Amino acid sequence: MKLESTPQGVVAGSIPLFAGHPSHDLLPIAGVRRAAASLWGGGQVTRLFDYGDEQGNPQLIEFLVERLNRVERLGISRENLMIIGGATGGVDLICDQLTQAGDVVLVDAPSYRDALHIFRDRHLDVRDVAIDDGGAIVGDMARSLRALADAGRAPKFYYVVPNFQNPSGITMPEARRRAIIELSRQYGFAIVEDDVYNDIRFCDALPPSFYALAAGENVLRMGTYSKTLAPGLRIGWLLASAARIADFVSSGVLKMGGGANPFTAAIVAEYCRSGEWEAHLAWLRGQYRQRRDIAQSALDAAMPPGVSYSRPNGGYFIWLHLPPTVDIADLAERARWENVYFAPGTGFYVDPEQGARHLRLSFSFVPIDDLRAGIEILGRLIREMSA
Amino acid sequence: MKLESTPQGVVAGSIPLFAGHPSHDLLPIAGVRRAAASLWGGGQVTRLFDYGDEQGNPQLIEFLVERLNRVERLGISRENLMIIGGATGGVDLICDQLTQAGDVVLVDAPSYRDALHIFRDRHLDVRDVAIDDGGAIVGDMARSLRALADAGRAPKFYYVVPNFQNPSGITMPEARRRAIIELSRQYGFAIVEDDVYNDIRFCDALPPSFYALAAGENVLRMGTYSKTLAPGLRIGWLLASAARIADFVSSGVLKMGGGANPFTAAIVAEYCRSGEWEAHLAWLRGQYRQRRDIAQSALDAAMPPGVSYSRPNGGYFIWLHLPPTVDIADLAERARWENVYFAPGTGFYVDPEQGARHLRLSFSFVPIDDLRAGIEILGRLIREMSA
């Protein structure tokens, strides 16, 4: 199976194991088409074309509030939620509103590469906290906060992907979330909870979100349709306190352009209200779970002793730890000669050198045969380099 | 004629003369529907749903480069243009990439309210330059620049709406543009040219853009489909030097979320390539010109001596200067009682007090009968307050 078209950053004919995109055969194109078709004839069709409410499409807000309250037993109201242009739009807005150049923010080591990139673009002072298999190590975070406090400083926020972290695949357990909320209260920083993989889970339940555990206090939580519907629609949501949502909604960017993407938000609202999204989600989880299983079996078969890797219960990614004999730049170069591309660990750290023994594989995007073939090729190259 | 639905910020049943939206009867809904329909069946349909190229939809870039070169006799190539989420997305990106909190930026007095709001949100040090009927007064700008230089500072950019300025309706003549480009070279600041009303002109030609006059050097010029197609699609474009576009395209926000709104950008590209946009533009100019004429006649009939107002050759807005007897807050309050809303001048100045004698009317949005009725009501109220 070959890709129909070559998306952003992908070399035609290659095996792009770096790509955190949904596979093209998992996009519910027909369902979105039906949703769009049912809007054209309606009396509210002009609403798709005009500037939208700053808070976002009201029907979509209503749908999400009801769903989050039902599925997660939250007690939010519509004042707690706004529509954003994907999680990216949320991170950008949060940085606009909460930070200035030079402000400190905390991240995990490793953390999501493109979020680090945004923080660097904004000249933020990014401090990282080591992780173990439960995410950020609370003692290390506390030490870092004390040292900052001694210097008269405090972070503006801690940025975290709490479930199936990008890149490590780790889900942080409840106790650790509670401990970090305690630190956030003590030191007065916000928690930016980038929860974009929540709905791509292969397990029954997830720990309660930071947002739920803190009763919404000083937590900004993002969700997205990019992983469970289609990234090209650019629609996500942001949960926060009513006061913070009101602040954000009255920001200059929202006043100038109106709310996030009225045209696609209306289509997403219609798609979700039809019930198609829930059915699609159930199917999608099975598809991604199968891809995770295939990747895991291929890794078990292909990787030599000395290579370890995560076994994530959801999300898009597997994180590999290489033996010291394997140079990551060298491996990337050899893989490129065989048309295989992965995300080197170096991009996921404030100090790139810390990632020199890691790489991230995505099982979400490439055709299944390519997933197997790509991992076999990487296994062979690593065996050759370990010999 | 009543509005089908009530958009963002509009009180139902009111006459919102503040609203800088396209009138709902001017939205080419059927044409956009045809463009979308023709995409669903195509082999590239997955491209609508996936993350997009960071620079934006390639077909739309190609269309715009060809059109701008043809219509304006520019010599740009595709390296000079990227797609943005409306002009708002451009202003946000430019601020991300070019400024930090505390940086100086120059604006006109008055200037576009929501842009001022964005600059304030980012804690920029906003300095304004007085305008006359040709826009920013060069001598005043030069004095301000010298004073800044004496304090060891220089602005990062000068933000200007060069054609049919929001709110004043003024189009800056070529000589003044050239003089400001000279100052920008002397003092090393960029020119952010927010040219969103370019295509809504009722005259034959406009002066060459800052971008053209400076041969693209240190000018960032924005255009948008929000005024000539539909704001809800959130699609615009940014012209700049190839080096700057390359910088912007490799920013964290673009890397994280991909290029601007792939789904709607593909629809807009299809709509434009079909030739419908040019035909729609020609028709639209006639429609807005008629609305401008109606507003102007209504003002001539309704306003007492002592009230003066702009006679713009394009755009959406008329700017009124009131006699000293009329208190703007009092007028707004009385108008509200009669269900008429306008944009008080105070919002368009760094120092709100400077706008206390002004108000902005939009002729773009309300039904034509309401446009006449709203202006008659305002005229009566102002006459009563002037008596």
Side-chain angles (χ1 to χ4, degrees), chain A residues 41-56:
Chain A
Q44 297 285 310
V45 67
T46 50
R47 291 290 294 271
L48 278 75
F49 287 85
D50 201 351
Y51 291 104
D53 292 345
E54 287 92 346
Q55 196 177 341

Side-chain angles (χ1 to χ4, degrees), chain A residues 4-5 7-8 21 24 43 49-51 54 88 92 96 100-101 117 121-122 227 231-232 250 252 256-257 261 263, chain B residues 4 7-8 21 24 43 46 49-51 54 88 92 96 100-101 117 121-122 227 231-232 250 252 256-257 261 263:
Chain A
E4 262 183 74
S5 63
Q8 168 210 23
H21 303 219
H24 285 177
F49 287 85
D50 201 351
Y51 291 104
E54 287 92 346
T88 309
D92 199 42
D96 273 5
Q100 299 183 28
H117 192 157
D121 283 352
R122 287 172 173 273
K227 313 301 174 190
S250 64
M256 178 166 168
N261 297 331
F263 187 86
Chain B
E4 262 183 73
Q8 169 210 23
H21 303 220
H24 285 178
T46 51
F49 287 85
D50 200 352
Y51 291 103
E54 287 92 347
T88 309
D92 200 40
D96 273 7
Q100 300 184 27
H117 192 157
D121 283 353
R122 288 175 173 270
K227 312 302 174 190
S250 64
M256 178 166 169
N261 297 329
F263 187 85

Side-chain angles (χ1 to χ4, degrees), chain B residues 13-189:
Chain B
S14 71
I15 301 181
L17 292 174
F18 68 86
H21 303 220
S23 173
H24 285 178
D25 61 349
L26 302 182
L27 297 166
I29 294 172
V32 173
R33 182 179 186 170
R34 276 191 296 275
S38 77
L39 288 169
W40 290 113
Q44 298 283 311
V45 67
T46 51
R47 292 290 294 270
L48 278 74
F49 287 85
D50 200 352
Y51 291 103
D53 292 344
E54 287 92 347
Q55 196 178 341
N57 181 288
Q59 285 77 32
L60 188 54
I61 292 171
E62 192 182 326
F63 170 83
L64 284 165
V65 167
E66 189 282 326
R67 180 176 189 271
L68 286 162
N69 282 338
R70 177 167 42 82
V71 174
E72 299 189 21
R73 297 182 194 165
L74 298 180
I76 61 170
S77 64
R78 50 169 295 119
E79 287 69 35
N80 296 117
L81 191 145
M82 67 186 286
I83 305 301
I84 51 180
T88 309
V91 170
D92 200 40
L93 184 63
I94 289 167
C95 287
D96 273 7
Q97 295 292 308
L98 265 54
T99 70
Q100 300 184 27
D103 282 345
V104 176
V105 296
L106 293 182
V107 300
D108 294 337
S111 187
Y112 173 38
R113 185 181 50 186
D114 297 333
L116 293 180
H117 192 157
I118 290 177
F119 303 152
R120 281 197 304 268
D121 283 353
R122 288 175 173 270
H123 307 278
L124 300 179
D125 181 353
V126 186
R127 309 290 179 98
D128 56 0
V129 177
I131 68 169
D132 59 21
D133 59 7
I137 299 168
V138 175
D140 283 14
M141 187 182 284
R143 260 190 302 282
S144 178
L145 288 163
R146 275 195 302 274
L148 280 165
D150 288 346
R153 310 190 67 188
K156 286 293 156 89
F157 59 73
Y158 164 54
Y159 170 83
V160 61
V161 179
N163 297 312
F164 320 120
Q165 198 235 25
N166 181 357
S168 70
I170 288 167
T171 294
M172 187 185 281
E174 178 175 341
R176 197 162 304 187
R177 298 181 190 212
R178 288 190 185 276
I180 290 173
I181 289 167
E182 278 311 303
L183 288 175
S184 86
R185 289 179 176 157
Q186 190 180 344
Y187 290 94
F189 60 88

Side-chain angles (χ1 to χ4, degrees), chain B residues 55 79-82 238-249:
Chain B
Q55 196 178 341
E79 287 69 35
N80 296 117
L81 191 145
M82 67 186 286
L238 175 63
L239 278 183
S241 69
R244 199 152 246 162
I245 294 292
D247 263 6
F248 285 11
V249 162

